């Protein structure tokens, strides 16, 4: 019998799907899925920290102080792992900021090069405001290979664990 697991695993949707199928076949599959998801989230935590520092570096000159937009956006950035369903994978995501100045799409709008429009103090005229251009997109630039390898290692560790049970 070969040294590796009884299935091929690569950092693709197919590789992750193969791993999830193997986990489902195990008696304690639910616990193994939780551990795999935790391992993948832990691998992406440094990337989330980089994205948070990207938004916190945005200038706040001329902006109101309450509620704090940058820290509200930073609180909503976290690693997300889904195993199974329509989409399987791991990513760092900036979730919507509901209840913050009526600005639910703040992470998306502040990242956009053209900025966003809003009323001044709730009345006319509309003004165009710019955030820190591409703060989320460029935060992890250059480190994507490291995070891909970390997620791959979490997947490999789980695959080795399952393979050890089969032998």
């Amino acid at each position: 019998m070969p040294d590796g697991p009884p299935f091929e695993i690569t950092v693709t949707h197919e590789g992750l799907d193969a791993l999830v199928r193997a986990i489902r076949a195990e008696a304690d599959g639910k616990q193994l899925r939780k551990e795999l998801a935790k391992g993948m989230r832990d691998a992406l935590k440094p990337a989330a920290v980089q994205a948070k520092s990207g938004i916190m570096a945005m200038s706040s000159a001329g902006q109101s102080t309450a509620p704090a937009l940058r820290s509200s956006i930073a609180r909503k950035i976290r690693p997300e792992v889904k195993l199974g369903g329509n989409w399987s994978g791991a990513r760092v995501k900036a979730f919507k900021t509901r209840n913050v100045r009526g600005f639910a799409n703040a992470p998306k709008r502040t990242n956009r090069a053209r900025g966003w429009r809003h009323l001044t103090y709730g009345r006319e005229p509309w003004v165009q405001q710019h955030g820190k251009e591409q703060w989320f997109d460029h935060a992890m630039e250059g480190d994507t290979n490291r995070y891909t390898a970390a997620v791959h290692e979490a997947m490999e560790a789980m695959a080795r664990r399952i393979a050890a049970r089969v032998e």
Side-chain angles (χ1 to χ4, degrees):
M1 190 166 173
D3 293 347
F7 48 87
E8 182 182 345
I9 183 167
T10 57
V11 183
T12 63
H13 293 294
E14 293 81 21
L16 185 57
D17 289 341
L19 181 59
V20 171
R21 279 193 302 275
I23 288 173
R24 282 188 186 137
E26 295 295 315
D28 59 344
K30 190 172 184 178
Q31 182 62 33
L32 290 175
R33 281 173 56 114
K34 283 182 182 178
E35 290 177 24
L36 174 61
K38 183 184 181 317
M40 292 171 73
R41 271 193 307 275
D42 289 345
L44 289 176
K45 280 186 181 175
V49 169
Q50 282 184 310
K52 288 177 183 185
S53 67
I55 187 59
M56 293 306 287
M58 184 175 84
S59 172
S60 64
Q63 295 180 8
S64 171
T65 57
L69 182 64
R70 293 175 302 156
S71 60
S72 297
I73 293 171
R75 276 193 300 272
K76 293 293 192 164
I77 298 172
R78 54 187 166 276
E80 178 186 46
V81 174
K82 287 182 72 179
L83 303 173
N86 293 335
W87 178 83
S88 292
R91 63 184 173 191
V92 175
K93 187 173 179 184
F95 292 88
K96 287 189 174 189
T97 53
R98 306 198 193 287
N99 305 326
V100 176
R101 300 184 190 175
F103 195 13
N105 285 322
K108 180 179 177 182
R109 300 288 186 248
T110 55
N111 189 52
R112 196 167 58 183
R114 67 176 189 241
W116 67 96
R117 288 174 33 115
H118 63 89
L119 291 171
T120 308
Y121 301 107
R123 296 186 298 269
E124 293 291 334
W126 284 86
V127 295
Q128 184 75 18
Q129 188 168 350
H130 298 279
K132 184 178 179 198
E133 200 172 303
Q134 306 291 313
W135 63 266
F136 188 82
D137 299 336
H138 294 312
M140 296 158 272
E141 203 169 65
D143 291 330
T144 54
N145 291 336
R146 181 172 52 139
Y147 300 126
T148 302
V151 169
H152 186 260
E153 179 54 38
M155 291 170 58
E156 285 285 340
M158 184 58 69
R160 284 190 300 271
R161 189 169 157 187
I162 293 171
R165 290 179 173 193
V166 173
E167 294 174 0

